[in-house]
Amino acid sequence: MGRYDESKKSSGAKGKKFGHAGRAEDPYRPEEGQEASICSECQALYQNKRWFFDEKLARRLAGTDKVRQVVCPTCRQVKDEYPEGILTLSGDFFKERRGEILTLIKNEAARVSSRSVQDRIIKMTEEAKDKLVVETTTEKLAQRLGRAVYRAYKGALDFRWAEMNRFVRVYWSR
Ligand SMILES: [Zn+2]
């Protein structure tokens, strides 16, 4: 019983401390008098603690002192190669239709990425002629890409979550 109390207390204190630090410093917050922050890599905008794409607004703010230049968390994640989702495609059918399956994946990823700053492909690695590994910035995108391939070509689709659902491995094969 004593042990239970102790762990409860320590995790509570930790959570509070973390929350405090998060509120105190937001590394992407625009400066006083600025309208937004902008990612110099992908032109994503940041306002009211939210990342989004808005070409018109980005063009209007570009080069003015109304905007703060930063690098967004997704661009950092891509640069650091830190995936939260990994999709593995494999099989003889994959080997045969590789080109069109890759096109489908790239198109689906581009569609999702254009709407959501967080979702991006980090890299694709050919491990063998019949095996390709796609690393994504979010577990959501890896799942979406796996489902898109499954919808188009059937085959076998499998999901394995880890780390409190913050990381997923998706396997598609045919
Ligand atoms: Zn960016």
Side-chain angles (χ1 to χ4, degrees), residues 78-115:
V78 170
K79 193 164 161 266
D80 294 346
E81 300 191 355
Y82 187 81
E84 284 183 13
I86 297 181
L87 165 66
T88 302
L89 305 154
S90 63
D92 289 338
F93 178 86
F94 171 69
K95 192 173 156 189
E96 273 168 41
R97 311 281 285 270
R98 203 190 133 80
E100 62 182 87
I101 295 172
L102 275 183
T103 302
L104 179 128
I105 289 201
K106 285 178 188 164
N107 289 345
E108 179 72 7
R111 213 161 58 86
V112 176
S113 300
S114 68
R115 285 190 310 240

Side-chain angles (χ1 to χ4, degrees), residues 50-79:
R50 207 172 63 86
W51 286 99
F52 59 96
F53 288 116
D54 183 335
E55 274 182 50
K56 244 171 100 180
L57 182 58
R59 262 203 309 274
R60 183 165 69 73
L61 293 174
T64 70
D65 55 6
K66 294 274 179 212
V67 72
R68 182 181 160 207
Q69 299 279 341
V70 295
V71 176
C72 80
T74 311
C75 284
R76 281 175 198 278
Q77 199 185 346
V78 170
K79 193 164 161 266

Side-chain angles (χ1 to χ4, degrees), residues 39 41-42 72 75 120:
C39 174
E41 310 275 317
C42 70
C72 80
C75 284
R120 237 170 276 170

Side-chain angles (χ1 to χ4, degrees), residues 126-168:
E126 185 182 86
E127 293 204 335
K129 286 281 172 233
D130 62 352
K131 191 174 181 186
L132 182 88
V133 177
V134 184
E135 295 179 34
T136 61
T137 52
T138 62
E139 43 89 32
K140 199 181 85 195
L141 183 58
Q143 289 178 65
R144 278 193 71 137
L145 297 178
R147 289 204 178 97
V149 175
Y150 179 77
R151 261 201 315 275
Y153 301 102
K154 298 293 174 276
L157 185 65
D158 187 26
F159 301 94
R160 288 177 213 165
W161 275 272
E163 291 170 33
M164 310 287 283
N165 297 338
R166 296 278 314 264
F167 182 83
V168 70

Side-chain angles (χ1 to χ4, degrees), residues 11-63:
S11 77
K14 224 162 128 189
K16 202 171 163 189
K17 202 169 146 195
F18 181 77
H20 233 82
R23 265 198 302 278
E25 46 180 303
D26 174 354
Y28 305 107
R29 195 180 58 193
E31 305 288 348
E32 208 53 44
Q34 293 184 326
E35 278 186 49
S37 294
I38 189 165
C39 174
S40 52
E41 310 275 317
C42 70
Q43 319 311 316
L45 292 162
Y46 185 75
Q47 266 178 344
N48 304 320
K49 295 183 183 286
R50 207 172 63 86
W51 286 99
F52 59 96
F53 288 116
D54 183 335
E55 274 182 50
K56 244 171 100 180
L57 182 58
R59 262 203 309 274
R60 183 165 69 73
L61 293 174

